[in-house]
PDB file of all heavy atoms in Angstrom:
ATOM      1  N   ILE W  27      43.817 -48.359 -31.060  1.00  0.00           N
ATOM      2  CA  ILE W  27      43.872 -49.691 -30.474  1.00  0.00           C
ATOM      3  C   ILE W  27      43.760 -49.471 -28.928  1.00  0.00           C
ATOM      4  O   ILE W  27      44.401 -48.722 -28.246  1.00  0.00           O
ATOM      5  CB  ILE W  27      45.362 -50.275 -30.786  1.00  0.00           C
ATOM      6  CG1 ILE W  27      45.458 -50.535 -32.261  1.00  0.00           C
ATOM      7  CG2 ILE W  27      45.659 -51.487 -29.928  1.00  0.00           C
ATOM      8  CD1 ILE W  27      44.672 -51.810 -32.741  1.00  0.00           C
ATOM      9  N   GLU W  28      42.960 -50.416 -28.355  1.00  0.00           N
ATOM     10  CA  GLU W  28      42.788 -50.519 -26.930  1.00  0.00           C
ATOM     11  C   GLU W  28      43.578 -51.691 -26.542  1.00  0.00           C
ATOM     12  O   GLU W  28      43.109 -52.882 -26.822  1.00  0.00           O
ATOM     13  CB  GLU W  28      41.363 -50.651 -26.483  1.00  0.00           C
ATOM     14  CG  GLU W  28      41.025 -50.696 -25.036  1.00  0.00           C
ATOM     15  CD  GLU W  28      39.687 -50.899 -24.720  1.00  0.00           C
ATOM     16  OE1 GLU W  28      38.771 -50.115 -25.338  1.00  0.00           O
ATOM     17  OE2 GLU W  28      39.218 -51.893 -24.000  1.00  0.00           O
ATOM     18  N   HIS W  29      44.718 -51.406 -25.724  1.00  0.00           N
ATOM     19  CA  HIS W  29      45.600 -52.600 -25.281  1.00  0.00           C
ATOM     20  C   HIS W  29      45.016 -53.092 -23.961  1.00  0.00           C
ATOM     21  O   HIS W  29      44.969 -52.371 -22.995  1.00  0.00           O
ATOM     22  CB  HIS W  29      46.985 -52.141 -25.176  1.00  0.00           C
ATOM     23  CG  HIS W  29      47.938 -53.162 -24.671  1.00  0.00           C
ATOM     24  ND1 HIS W  29      48.366 -54.191 -25.507  1.00  0.00           N
ATOM     25  CD2 HIS W  29      48.605 -53.383 -23.403  1.00  0.00           C
ATOM     26  CE1 HIS W  29      49.225 -54.867 -24.808  1.00  0.00           C
ATOM     27  NE2 HIS W  29      49.322 -54.353 -23.671  1.00  0.00           N
ATOM     28  N   VAL W  30      44.677 -54.395 -23.870  1.00  0.00           N
ATOM     29  CA  VAL W  30      44.208 -55.005 -22.651  1.00  0.00           C
ATOM     30  C   VAL W  30      45.466 -55.775 -21.965  1.00  0.00           C
ATOM     31  O   VAL W  30      45.712 -55.410 -20.788  1.00  0.00           O
ATOM     32  CB  VAL W  30      43.097 -55.918 -22.756  1.00  0.00           C
ATOM     33  CG1 VAL W  30      42.745 -56.625 -21.509  1.00  0.00           C
ATOM     34  CG2 VAL W  30      41.884 -55.140 -23.433  1.00  0.00           C
ATOM     35  N   ASN W  31      46.135 -56.675 -22.783  1.00  0.00           N
ATOM     36  CA  ASN W  31      47.308 -57.392 -22.182  1.00  0.00           C
ATOM     37  C   ASN W  31      48.072 -57.767 -23.490  1.00  0.00           C
ATOM     38  O   ASN W  31      47.759 -57.470 -24.569  1.00  0.00           O
ATOM     39  CB  ASN W  31      46.952 -58.568 -21.261  1.00  0.00           C
ATOM     40  CG  ASN W  31      46.079 -59.556 -21.928  1.00  0.00           C
ATOM     41  OD1 ASN W  31      46.299 -59.880 -23.046  1.00  0.00           O
ATOM     42  ND2 ASN W  31      44.983 -59.908 -21.200  1.00  0.00           N
ATOM     43  N   ASP W  32      49.136 -58.562 -23.236  1.00  0.00           N
ATOM     44  CA  ASP W  32      50.011 -58.943 -24.421  1.00  0.00           C
ATOM     45  C   ASP W  32      49.269 -59.739 -25.401  1.00  0.00           C
ATOM     46  O   ASP W  32      49.718 -59.649 -26.640  1.00  0.00           O
ATOM     47  CB  ASP W  32      51.171 -59.778 -23.887  1.00  0.00           C
ATOM     48  CG  ASP W  32      52.131 -58.948 -23.044  1.00  0.00           C
ATOM     49  OD1 ASP W  32      52.083 -57.706 -23.168  1.00  0.00           O
ATOM     50  OD2 ASP W  32      52.955 -59.664 -22.376  1.00  0.00           O
ATOM     51  N   SER W  33      48.196 -60.359 -25.204  1.00  0.00           N
ATOM     52  CA  SER W  33      47.603 -61.167 -26.210  1.00  0.00           C
ATOM     53  C   SER W  33      46.043 -60.801 -26.424  1.00  0.00           C
ATOM     54  O   SER W  33      45.321 -61.464 -27.041  1.00  0.00           O
ATOM     55  CB  SER W  33      47.629 -62.601 -25.843  1.00  0.00           C
ATOM     56  OG  SER W  33      47.043 -63.005 -24.644  1.00  0.00           O
ATOM     57  N   LEU W  34      45.594 -59.675 -25.905  1.00  0.00           N
ATOM     58  CA  LEU W  34      44.327 -59.103 -26.177  1.00  0.00           C
ATOM     59  C   LEU W  34      44.314 -57.637 -26.314  1.00  0.00           C
ATOM     60  O   LEU W  34      44.798 -56.911 -25.484  1.00  0.00           O
ATOM     61  CB  LEU W  34      43.452 -59.501 -24.959  1.00  0.00           C
ATOM     62  CG  LEU W  34      41.998 -59.015 -25.083  1.00  0.00           C
ATOM     63  CD1 LEU W  34      41.232 -59.675 -26.248  1.00  0.00           C
ATOM     64  CD2 LEU W  34      41.129 -59.341 -23.866  1.00  0.00           C
ATOM     65  N   ASN W  35      43.812 -57.291 -27.579  1.00  0.00           N
ATOM     66  CA  ASN W  35      43.618 -55.926 -27.922  1.00  0.00           C
ATOM     67  C   ASN W  35      42.191 -55.675 -28.581  1.00  0.00           C
ATOM     68  O   ASN W  35      41.652 -56.699 -29.050  1.00  0.00           O
ATOM     69  CB  ASN W  35      44.762 -55.488 -28.942  1.00  0.00           C
ATOM     70  CG  ASN W  35      46.096 -55.580 -28.347  1.00  0.00           C
ATOM     71  OD1 ASN W  35      46.538 -54.697 -27.638  1.00  0.00           O
ATOM     72  ND2 ASN W  35      46.847 -56.665 -28.542  1.00  0.00           N
ATOM     73  N   TYR W  36      41.689 -54.586 -28.731  1.00  0.00           N
ATOM     74  CA  TYR W  36      40.547 -54.150 -29.422  1.00  0.00           C
ATOM     75  C   TYR W  36      40.964 -53.074 -30.324  1.00  0.00           C
ATOM     76  O   TYR W  36      41.653 -52.087 -30.084  1.00  0.00           O
ATOM     77  CB  TYR W  36      39.549 -53.721 -28.484  1.00  0.00           C
ATOM     78  CG  TYR W  36      38.840 -54.855 -27.701  1.00  0.00           C
ATOM     79  CD1 TYR W  36      39.371 -55.128 -26.382  1.00  0.00           C
ATOM     80  CD2 TYR W  36      37.922 -55.692 -28.142  1.00  0.00           C
ATOM     81  CE1 TYR W  36      38.829 -56.155 -25.587  1.00  0.00           C
ATOM     82  CE2 TYR W  36      37.387 -56.697 -27.311  1.00  0.00           C
ATOM     83  CZ  TYR W  36      37.768 -56.986 -26.109  1.00  0.00           C
ATOM     84  OH  TYR W  36      37.315 -57.960 -25.264  1.00  0.00           O
ATOM     85  N   LEU W  37      40.379 -53.235 -31.624  1.00  0.00           N
ATOM     86  CA  LEU W  37      40.505 -52.085 -32.631  1.00  0.00           C
ATOM     87  C   LEU W  37      39.171 -51.363 -32.295  1.00  0.00           C
ATOM     88  O   LEU W  37      38.116 -51.969 -32.381  1.00  0.00           O
ATOM     89  CB  LEU W  37      40.504 -52.684 -34.051  1.00  0.00           C
ATOM     90  CG  LEU W  37      40.401 -51.598 -35.189  1.00  0.00           C
ATOM     91  CD1 LEU W  37      41.575 -50.773 -35.151  1.00  0.00           C
ATOM     92  CD2 LEU W  37      40.423 -52.330 -36.521  1.00  0.00           C
ATOM     93  N   VAL W  38      39.295 -50.108 -32.031  1.00  0.00           N
ATOM     94  CA  VAL W  38      38.115 -49.283 -31.638  1.00  0.00           C
ATOM     95  C   VAL W  38      37.838 -48.296 -32.729  1.00  0.00           C
ATOM     96  O   VAL W  38      38.835 -47.504 -33.189  1.00  0.00           O
ATOM     97  CB  VAL W  38      38.420 -48.567 -30.346  1.00  0.00           C
ATOM     98  CG1 VAL W  38      37.204 -47.714 -30.025  1.00  0.00           C
ATOM     99  CG2 VAL W  38      38.722 -49.553 -29.187  1.00  0.00           C
TER     100      VAL W  38
END
Side-chain angles (χ1 to χ4, degrees):
I27 293 289
E28 180 183 309
H29 178 75
V30 178
N31 60 45
D32 289 344
S33 60
L34 178 59
N35 298 278
Y36 288 93
L37 176 61
V38 181

